[in-house]
């Protein structure tokens, strides 16, 4: 008896990495082993030295094939088993372990846009739909497009055991969001990458493409982000650590922005519920700020913050690493742990 293991990894495509996958057939009871692939075909190696290694780091049930089949998320290593330059997870492991006692939690809101035949799903051929207004959390065939894909994706994420916590239609036609979390930085990153793979794979069955382009349609249309909610144990217990975290993000604003996804200047214009990419701000209940403190957090004097700057195409391993490193370092210095 055998089962199928779908090995998934992140490639070296620039400026935004892509997901790749291939299938290994294994004997029942066998653990998914280290495997390999041709890095010269994934922008991760040259032809004369092309072998790279896939190291399984997260396994879950395969909700598409069903049965005993599994999805296997992998880190990419060199043949000497050191992390490849494109392996952003390895860098997160070090930071997450260093600040483990602060117990960081994340929730990432992943926006994305469906495309079919070169235009967003719901956009008429050769024109534009009605202006934004009724699409967000909308209902009805004239305002919502792709719901059958979204519902199937949600069911598959749940069947895979991923920490998906919700879905909603977004502000532009054909644009949707799912949320992953709360969970630790590594857990949220792993679950987000697998949820993205399941999104692409599910949309494929409908002959539709899902894109994380941060500004899929130019002009007066909302971009697509990955708003990142963050807290530590101290933030969940008091308000001063929340302000400390916001101030630390202010002090490191440009380092974060340049690593929050390609094309961020196109999305963070200061319009469409964003702050300008080159000006940092934070405020209570302010969706026009770089970082929002939810109103109930101010009332209860404890909770979390929402970094609204990350693009839809951000690497979740990178955004969680940067936030943990920046905020936990500042909280540690302030004695707010």
């Amino acid at each position: 008896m055998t089962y199928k293991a779908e090995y998934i990894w992140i490639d070296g495509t620039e400026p935004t990495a892509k997901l790749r996958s291939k299938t290994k057939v294994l004997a029942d009871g066998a653990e998914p082993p280290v495997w390999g692939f041709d890095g010269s075909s994934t922008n991760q190696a040259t032809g004369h030295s092309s072998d790279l290694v896939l190291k399984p780091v997260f396994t879950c049930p395969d909700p598409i094939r069903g049965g005993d089949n599994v999805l296997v998320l992998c880190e990419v290593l060199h043949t000497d088993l050191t992390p490849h330059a494109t392996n952003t997870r390895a860098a997160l492991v070090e930071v997450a372990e260093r600040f483990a006692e602060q117990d960081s939690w994340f929730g990432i809101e992943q926006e994305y846009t469906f495309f079919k035949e070169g235009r967003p799903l719901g956009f008429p051929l050769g024109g534009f739909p009605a202006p934004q207004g009724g699409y967000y959390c909308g209902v009805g065939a004239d305002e919502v497009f792709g719901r059958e894909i979204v519902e199937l994706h949600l069911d598959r994420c749940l069947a895979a055991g991923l920490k998906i916590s919700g879905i909603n239609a977004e502000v532009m036609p054909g644009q949707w969001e799912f949320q992953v979390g709360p969970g630790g930085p590594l857990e949220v990153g792993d679950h987000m990458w697998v949820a993205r793979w399941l999104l692409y794979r599910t949309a494929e069955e409908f002959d539709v493409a899902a894109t994380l382009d941060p500004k899929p349609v130019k002009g007066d249309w909302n971009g697509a982000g990955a708003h990142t909610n963050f807290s530590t144990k101290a933030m969940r217990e008091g308000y001063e650590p929340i302000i400390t975290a916001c101030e630390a993000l202010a002090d490191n604003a440009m380092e974060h922005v340049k690593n929050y996804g390609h094309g961020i200047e196109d999305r963070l214009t200061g319009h469409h519920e964003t702050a300008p990419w080159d000006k940092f701000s934070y405020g209570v209940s302010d969706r026009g700020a770089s970082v929002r403190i939810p109103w109930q957090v101010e009332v209860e004097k404890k909770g979390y913050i929402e970094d609204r700057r990350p693009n839809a195409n951000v690497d979740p391993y990178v955004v969680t690493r940067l936030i943990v490193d920046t905020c936990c370092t500042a909280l540690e210095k302030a004695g707010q742990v």
Side-chain angles (χ1 to χ4, degrees):
M1 299 294 291
T2 61
Y3 74 96
K4 301 169 190 171
E6 189 71 14
Y7 279 59
I8 301 168
W9 73 98
I10 301 148
D11 77 359
T13 300
E14 294 181 346
T16 301
K18 296 182 177 183
L19 284 163
R20 308 278 183 141
S21 69
K22 62 176 183 171
T23 306
K24 190 173 187 65
V25 177
L26 297 169
D28 278 356
E31 291 294 317
V34 167
W35 202 14
F37 70 99
D38 171 17
S40 69
S41 297
T42 62
N43 304 302
Q44 290 169 297
T46 57
H48 68 274
S49 182
S50 62
D51 287 341
L52 290 176
V53 175
L54 294 174
K55 173 190 171 185
V57 292
F58 172 69
T59 302
C60 65
D62 183 340
I64 298 175
R65 287 174 168 149
D68 294 328
N69 302 303
V70 295
L71 303 179
V72 184
L73 182 66
C74 301
E75 285 189 12
V76 176
L77 309 178
H78 293 287
T79 53
D80 63 1
L81 303 186
T82 58
H84 189 271
T86 59
N87 182 350
T88 55
R89 188 182 189 276
L92 171 59
V93 169
E94 187 275 323
V95 172
E97 289 178 349
R98 177 154 39 101
F99 294 107
E101 290 187 0
Q102 293 199 39
D103 194 20
S104 297
W105 292 0
F106 284 90
I108 300 180
E109 305 169 24
Q110 177 68 73
E111 296 177 345
Y112 60 92
T113 310
F114 287 134
F115 268 72
K116 188 175 179 67
E117 298 176 350
R119 62 187 186 276
L121 205 61
F123 273 52
L125 183 64
F128 291 91
Q132 295 180 163
Y135 305 112
Y136 173 70
C137 295
V139 62
D142 57 336
E143 294 187 334
V144 175
F145 309 93
R147 191 185 296 276
E148 66 276 19
I149 309 173
V150 173
E151 292 289 344
L152 181 55
H153 174 249
L154 174 61
D155 288 344
R156 286 175 168 176
C157 286
L158 292 170
L162 302 182
K163 279 197 166 182
I164 190 165
S165 49
I167 58 171
N168 61 268
E170 267 301 332
V171 177
M172 190 181 81
Q175 192 178 69
W176 291 82
E177 173 184 300
F178 65 86
Q179 303 94 36
V180 171
L186 280 167
E187 181 180 42
V188 163
D190 291 345
H191 288 215
M192 178 59 76
W193 276 115
V194 174
R196 285 176 173 180
W197 185 88
L198 283 170
L199 175 65
Y200 301 142
R201 181 64 180 77
T202 300
E204 178 185 313
E205 297 174 13
F206 294 82
D207 196 25
V208 168
T211 177
L212 305 186
D213 189 322
K215 190 68 175 178
V217 180
K218 306 302 181 187
D220 193 20
W221 299 95
N222 271 38
H227 302 154
T228 301
N229 300 281
F230 168 73
S231 69
T232 65
K233 184 175 184 292
M235 293 167 68
R236 294 189 292 273
E237 295 176 349
Y239 199 69
E240 285 305 312
I242 288 171
I243 300 303
T244 298
C246 289
E247 291 291 344
L249 290 171
D251 291 340
N252 295 273
M254 293 314 297
E255 178 191 1
H256 283 241
V257 164
K258 71 181 182 182
N259 289 287
Y260 274 7
H262 178 70
I264 203 160
E265 300 92 342
D266 294 331
R267 175 176 151 264
L268 298 185
T269 60
H271 305 289
H272 304 112
E273 296 186 334
T274 72
W277 67 271
D278 57 348
K279 294 180 181 178
F280 183 89
S281 60
Y282 68 89
V284 175
S285 197
D286 186 357
R287 282 179 165 76
S290 307
V291 172
R292 179 178 68 94
I293 301 172
W295 68 269
Q296 69 270 31
V297 171
E298 185 188 42
V299 170
E300 298 174 1
K301 299 302 179 186
K302 61 182 180 180
Y304 68 98
I305 58 176
E306 178 196 44
D307 192 335
R308 297 181 57 78
R309 296 170 296 168
N311 271 351
N313 59 1
V314 74
D315 182 338
Y317 296 141
V318 171
V319 68
T320 55
R321 173 179 59 81
L322 286 170
I323 291 176
V324 168
D325 202 2
T326 293
C327 296
C328 290
T329 296
L331 290 166
E332 189 173 76
K333 287 181 180 178
Q336 297 171 334
V337 297

